[in-house]
């Protein structure tokens, strides 16, 4: 599965008021592994940033004056995100700006170029009701260092969000096992017996390892609000009292 973690910076908060994207930062993840194949562009919006927005991102009109316009990078950007599932924190904000930029060029809306959009903000609100769920708050909650984040930045925030997303969704994705034996049947449809296992050395876990395992399960159980599958399996297989 290919995921792109995406973040934008803008001249203001409302594209309907003529505000534009000034930075796009994307981080690629394949099968939950960061690849280093990132996409990062500063853009010339053709206007000044509002004072409040400038205080957030620090990207001045002078700095952006020699950068390309969105129309100059649109094809490259769409090619990069194509056929990927996009992960965004507070997706309506970024998608709204991307839709506006694409519509000015006569392109379809952003979601028509990708396989889907995952919004981590409602995910976080469901997992941590009543708590702050900004990117900074989530970094603190999951022990992800953001000390270098003095200002917002598209690529930096996308990289932090990638770590947050992995922490939010940690755990085994599937209980199925691929043994690499095909259908395990011969041409006549008869089951092929597996070769007996021999010479297997069983090394039981130490007390320290069992304690670490229990600590990890407790963390998973807390993060999933009591839905840790290993705890459920353990309860199902425990002898009746």
């Amino acid at each position: 599965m290919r995921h792109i973690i995406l973040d934008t910076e803008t001249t203001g908060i409302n594209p309907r008021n003529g505000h534009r994207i000034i930075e796009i930062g994307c981080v690629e993840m394949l099968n939950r592994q960061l690849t280093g194949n990132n996409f990062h562009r500063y853009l010339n919006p053709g206007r000044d940033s509002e004072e409040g927005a400038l205080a957030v991102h620090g990207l001045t009109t002078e700095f952006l004056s020699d950068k390309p316009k969105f129309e100059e990078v649109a094809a490259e950007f769409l090619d990069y995100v194509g056929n990927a599932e996009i992960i965004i924190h507070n997706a309506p904000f970024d998608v709204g700006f991307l839709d506006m930029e694409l519509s000015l060029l006569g392109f379809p809306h952003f979601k028509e170029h990708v396989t889907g959009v995952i919004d981590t903000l409602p995910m976080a609100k469901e997992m941590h009701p009543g708590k702050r769920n900004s990117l900074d708050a989530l970094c603190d909650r999951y022990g992800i260092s953001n000390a270098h984040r003095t200002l917002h930045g598209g690529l930096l925030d996308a990289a932090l969000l990638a770590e947050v997303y992995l922490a939010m969704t940690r755990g085994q994705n599937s209980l199925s096992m691929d043994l690499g034996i095909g259908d395990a049947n011969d041409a006549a449809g008869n089951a092929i017996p597996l070769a007996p296992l021999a010479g297997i050395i069983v090394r039981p876990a130490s007390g320290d390892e069992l304690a670490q395992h229990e600590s990890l399960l407790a963390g998973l159980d807390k993060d999933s609000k009591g839905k840790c599958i290993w705890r459920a399996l353990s309860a199902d297989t425990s002898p009746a009292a």
Side-chain angles (χ1 to χ4, degrees), residues 96-163:
F97 269 93
L98 289 167
D99 284 348
M100 180 272 298
E101 296 283 3
L102 291 171
S103 68
L104 291 175
L105 302 177
F107 291 157
H109 283 178
F110 178 69
K111 289 184 179 180
E112 296 187 37
H113 298 276
V114 300
T115 62
V117 174
I118 297 173
D119 191 343
T120 52
L121 181 56
M123 285 177 58
K125 287 181 177 179
E126 182 177 352
M127 294 174 66
H128 311 289
K131 297 183 179 180
R132 293 178 59 248
N133 289 297
S134 66
L135 183 57
D136 282 332
L138 291 171
C139 285
D140 291 341
R141 188 168 301 141
Y142 290 107
I144 297 166
S145 175
N146 61 344
H148 50 309
R149 188 184 187 237
T150 55
L151 292 171
H152 289 217
L155 187 60
L156 171 61
D157 289 0
L160 289 173
L161 181 58
E163 294 189 62

Side-chain angles (χ1 to χ4, degrees), residues 19-93:
H19 288 292
R20 307 292 298 271
I21 295 175
I22 58 175
E23 184 183 7
I24 301 175
C26 298
V27 173
E28 183 186 61
M29 186 165 60
L30 291 177
N31 300 319
R32 297 179 63 84
Q33 298 292 323
L34 298 175
T35 68
N37 177 28
N38 303 332
F39 180 94
H40 183 221
R41 297 291 184 276
Y42 292 112
L43 303 172
N44 180 356
R47 59 162 295 164
D48 294 337
S49 291
E50 287 189 340
E51 185 176 345
L54 182 60
V56 169
H57 54 65
L59 300 175
T60 65
T61 302
E62 180 181 7
F63 172 78
L64 298 170
S65 62
D66 62 348
K67 303 302 184 287
K69 295 183 177 181
F70 181 86
E71 62 191 58
E72 298 176 62
V73 305
E76 182 186 9
F77 169 66
L78 292 177
D79 182 65
Y80 176 83
V81 298
N83 299 317
E85 192 168 40
I86 312 301
I87 300 171
I88 307 175
H89 198 65
N90 190 19
F93 178 87

